[in-house]
């Protein structure tokens, strides 16, 4: 299958790392293509960045009508519903993917994300997905997205300390890592703490493969019906053409 | 006060009607400015349209740093959180405005919107705002947004029939009209059915005036903190400049 | 418009302070009348006081059939549903008013009230209004209602300390003051803590003005239908006469 | 034990019937005293009646400091929290009693009450007690409280028809009768429909006996702490004297 | 009445203690029979033990078709739904019994159970019964079930310390003891802490007596319909015979 | 990987069919072993059957310490928590599997199961998993489990008719088939109705493969900790030996 992973931010080095993380868990027959939009923010930290990442992300999807499934590689599940409306192939967000799998291996999980500014958006997603009674707390390590890979940021230690607090204070039995940029840390953190530590990129790859293998596509019956044909103006004129063509 | 109402779609005639509906209920000292973005869809019907309306809507807000408050005149409350992050002045969505006021005059309300494709997004908002136990049902009259003003659409009769069903089947004690384009129908529908019928544009104008009069602005303490300075690429480069300038 | 604010307790000095707080935020055309019942407790602290305040409060409302709207100036929203049944004009409680507005300017709020004995009643209201997922905690500063205005009570400092805890422990982005007697402290507390601090009296005045401006009255369709004509005995005989006359 | 049942309305014939229903299920050692207040409405149908019944009901309780337990014999659980604050002995409402027992013998129950005006108050209680996911629907038979005993009202047939609908439409496995005046119909309705039909008066008597036998009294730790000593004015002056004495 | 209490574990000394605790609160006419299965675990600590206790427990019930009611004397309410399906007489679990009564005497309760391994199962029951908004926290004292009676375990002191924390941190107004083996400690703990401390065995006895006195039996309308006649193989062959006979 | 699927009932023909359905979707490297216990009911229809199926099912798992993952092939997710406690390898129930995937391809789903007696147990699972706001209704086609494969039962038509009702009345956008015995009908029903129809066996196979590929195992941190060493008596003596060995 052809699986397109869209990193919704414009940082190509992060896209490459996401692609590598995805390939590391992909099934033999899965071809991973990791892309990012040309338009939008260099990282997504909060609501404002999020909405500016979506049109570019959707353009990348529209340009790949042959993909068998899509993954949105931002933990906010940026633009997930719009992507499901647009495309025929199934779409998975890495945030939902990690949380769904967490509930299959633990009674209660906590999330560790980057910055406090993202916590309310993630808490909202937890509520929306129905996992409020299973989520101990959404925590932040206060390392910005683009500094995660910088050894000087001390990201590993800060995340690990937050996991220790999650175990003690939230009674978390598993941890969900709240940023695509943390993908490479999951195994080491899991080994250190002795509980499942779940990376959303890997989780989403497997769920996308699963939906594809089962022939399951997004229902077009109601909220995810294809966009209606209509005029799109200005910088989004291309959006209408591609959709309605 | 200066109240800027942004119709997130690009249909100027609808923007004018919204402005008139707003001025009809505005306090003497309120100057209403109704605008719409240059970029985006002609109407918002479903998730895909919604996300393409947001960047243009935010650009209109960024261009008006002197406004005392903003209203988002789409019942989906399109881009509400992003707008709250961006601006110092308070921001109100017409969907939330109508629902909040409905709970102040009735034990249970139902929503009547345009098309079924919008129902899940609105149900999600009901859940997010905490009103699931107060909302009977989100209903649709199956008249597209841009046909609401066309007498041939029979919109009034279809909405009225849906209200009758809401009273009988949902035990609704009040009705929330689920589209900015229905603003001019509220009074007549309320008179016909003998219960409150609430238009979100009018409701949002009064709530925006209320917040302004009380000096209440969006808290910048966590999720609505101003966007962090960062690179915005491509068609959104202007977004970063204006924000970080 | 004529807006009647009923302080449900019998302490006239508190009624005067409430009236002043209301006039400070009222629109130019709003005539504020602040009254209190002749019968009932000197302050409302817990369930027992609350129920004894209601008949007197309703008598004040019945005596003012010409009022355009009513505000109940006790944070428990004492007798709110009964008042909505009785009167044709809309009725707003200061507790609900403050909480509704808090959700429009913050993702999460905490309440600071007077005494621990009131906390469960307020928690119950939070649950009833649907804001459990938006409310961090209901806190008390342990200053009785009638000592709030006494400088020797140290009320300001105790409330401020509780707000600091709410920010640190509850991640509160806004604060709702849980007593009509705290109205004059909101601005100073907001300035000190840098987040919105919301007083219910002011909030309710603006919401009452809003409903009146929009012509919205309580739905009489079901739970708020007018009281049925029936015999009222003893000290409440007047209640029946006034209602059914 | 001495069990005082307070019918919060002033209709003595209904009080007598309630007393008889209670004695029919009371344990050998239980002395049932059924009383009603001198002040208040002849029946309770909606929020307005409810609040006027409470002070008189509490006066009856204050006058019986030696009672071992109290039952509030109105399905709204009128003034339940205030009574729990006031008295040392445990207090049970017939509404909560019936609903708690219903969840012990059925997966899902529906309520059949008198008039539609009472439905929202009862739905609110269902939500407050935590049984929303166990309650199919709150239904009304549209027979006023004081006509229940009048054969001409056709009450039995109307209630029975509503039970049939509850089984078919709500998938109800048990029925809770939503008025103290329906106590004598439970057995016949249960026999007719083949499922448990629960009367709140009987349920509350057994729960009150249970709490008394176990030595369980209302916790005075927080919300049900005794009323604080303070001035009560006017017609309620007696309330303060009795409480603080 | 004949009340059969089944201790689902196989420890006869614990069964005897449960029987004594039950007789201490039983009404004069209640004959208490305390039994335990021949097959299964010596104590129930976690999900695995729980499921192995159920078939033996049900066999004890099947063997007593003449019992008027059954109590399941394990705080997990082990096999409660299956028992309700099987038997005509009502069945009460000690966990649900204690929690229901707790909500009748307190606004908020916390649970103190034995081991952390049981906490998630009990949290799940709290959620299932609808009491999540009334339960502060499920706590464990880390004393295994079979050591509760051993003075060397220090059980009383550890439970008491946990109650102190529940009062300070959870604002608990009452405590539910989360193990049948703690029955004899309730009175002393309640006296020490000055709030209701509820033992499930005693609570269940009174609720079982209550249901029996009211003639209430489990509804057979849907989920608790009797098991369908079918082949049971191997060690459970007897289960089918007894059921279908 | 070695994936053991345990059909918890004792009907070997159904086990074979489940194994075939699993192999049809398994990845190339997945070896499917489908087994059923020697002890227990021939089919699982309601709570009583369910609990008798669990010990035998767990014995099958204990006997396969080398399996990489387990699937429980009954839509009730029979004994899921106990299995997670017992085994080191991950365990997936077909009910949860189908519901999780349904929320990834549709905004709202309904379940169609066999008999009404199973509906409450499934509704409870929906509540427990957090999907109440995403599930329209749990429906039954009234065909017993063991008659599903009998053409004379008319199962296909009855299920199809229930799906039509789910679309019309529940606004379901996807359907979850509520019995392992319906696995072979999913594709045809999906084609007929034009929306995703999800079989739990297939869904669980892919989720089990996903967890295994990611190295995710059940957290042993709290509720799923291994069973404590203790005496198991009678017919379950083997349970203790195998566990503690």
């Amino acid at each position: 299958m052809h699986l397109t992973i869209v990193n919704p931010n414009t940082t190509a080095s992060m896209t490459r790392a996401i692609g590598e993380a995805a390939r590391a868990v992909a099934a033999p027959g899965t071809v991973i293509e990791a892309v990012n939009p040309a338009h939008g923010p260099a990282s997504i930290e909060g609501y404002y960045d999020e909405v500016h990442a979506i049109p570019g992300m959707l353009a990348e999807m529209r340009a790949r009508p042959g993909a068998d499934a899509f993954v949105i590689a931002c933990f906010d599940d940026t633009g997930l519903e719009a992507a499901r409306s647009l495309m025929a192939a199934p779409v998975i967000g890495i945030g939902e993917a990690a949380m769904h799998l967490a509930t299959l291996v633990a009674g209660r999980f906590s999330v560790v994300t980057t910055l406090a500014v993202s916590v309310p958006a993630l808490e909202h997603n937890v509520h929306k997905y129905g996992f409020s009674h299973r989520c101990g707390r959404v925590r932040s390590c206060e390392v910005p997205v683009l500094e995660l890979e910088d050894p000087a940021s001390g990201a590993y230690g800060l995340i690990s300390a937050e996991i220790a607090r999650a175990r003690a204070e939230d009674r978390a039995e598993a941890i969900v890592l709240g940023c695509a940029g943390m993908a490479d840390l999951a195994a080491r953190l899991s080994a250190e703490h002795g509980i499942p530590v779940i990376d959303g990129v890997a989780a989403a790859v497997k769920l996308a493969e699963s939906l594809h293998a089962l022939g399951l596509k997004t229902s077009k019956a109601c909220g995810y019906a294809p966009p209606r044909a209509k005029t799109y103006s200005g910088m989004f004129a291309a959006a209408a053409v591609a959709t309605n063509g």
Side-chain angles (χ1 to χ4, degrees), chain A residues 121 148 158:
Chain A
L148 282 171
L158 291 164

Side-chain angles (χ1 to χ4, degrees), chain A residues 79-171:
Chain A
L80 178 60
E81 281 89 1
R84 284 193 175 138
S85 301
L86 177 64
M87 305 308 295
V91 185
I92 299 286
I94 67 168
E96 61 174 0
M99 288 193 250
H100 279 276
L101 293 195
T103 69
L104 299 179
V105 294
R108 185 193 294 259
F109 66 88
S110 281
V111 177
V112 180
T113 190
T114 51
L115 301 180
V117 71
S118 291
V119 168
L122 300 185
E123 288 177 332
H124 169 61
N125 280 355
V126 170
H127 183 244
K128 172 174 155 186
Y129 300 149
F131 298 143
S132 295
H133 62 314
R134 302 290 291 276
C135 178
R137 186 161 179 167
V138 180
R139 294 169 167 275
S140 56
C141 64
E142 299 311 316
V143 178
V145 171
L146 298 183
E147 296 178 22
L148 282 171
E149 295 193 357
D150 178 356
S153 72
Y156 182 87
L158 291 164
I159 294 169
S160 182
E162 208 62 40
I163 291 175
R165 278 190 282 274
R167 295 205 57 185
E169 298 172 16
D170 315 345
R171 288 179 293 170

Side-chain angles (χ1 to χ4, degrees), chain A residues 13-57:
Chain A
S13 62
M14 192 165 164
T15 307
R16 277 192 299 275
I18 288 168
E20 283 164 29
R23 280 179 206 104
V25 300
T30 302
V31 176
I32 300 282
E33 177 193 30
V35 299
N36 62 253
H39 308 277
S43 63
I44 298 179
E45 291 161 326
Y47 296 114
Y48 182 81
D49 296 340
E50 193 177 336
V51 296
H52 283 94
I54 300 174
M57 179 189 84

Side-chain angles (χ1 to χ4, degrees), chain A residues 202-228:
Chain A
V205 167
K206 301 319 283 183
L207 286 177
E209 289 176 344
S210 295
L211 295 180
H212 176 66
L214 299 174
L216 289 173
K217 300 183 177 183
T218 304
S219 175
K220 295 295 173 178
C222 185
Y224 301 133
R228 302 181 77 231

Side-chain angles (χ1 to χ4, degrees), chain A residues 59-88:
Chain A
E60 297 299 319
M61 292 182 174
R62 269 201 314 269
R64 284 161 182 84
D68 293 307
F70 293 91
V71 164
I72 299 174
C74 176
F75 197 79
D76 304 35
D77 294 345
T78 320
L80 178 60
E81 281 89 1
R84 284 193 175 138
S85 301
L86 177 64
M87 305 308 295

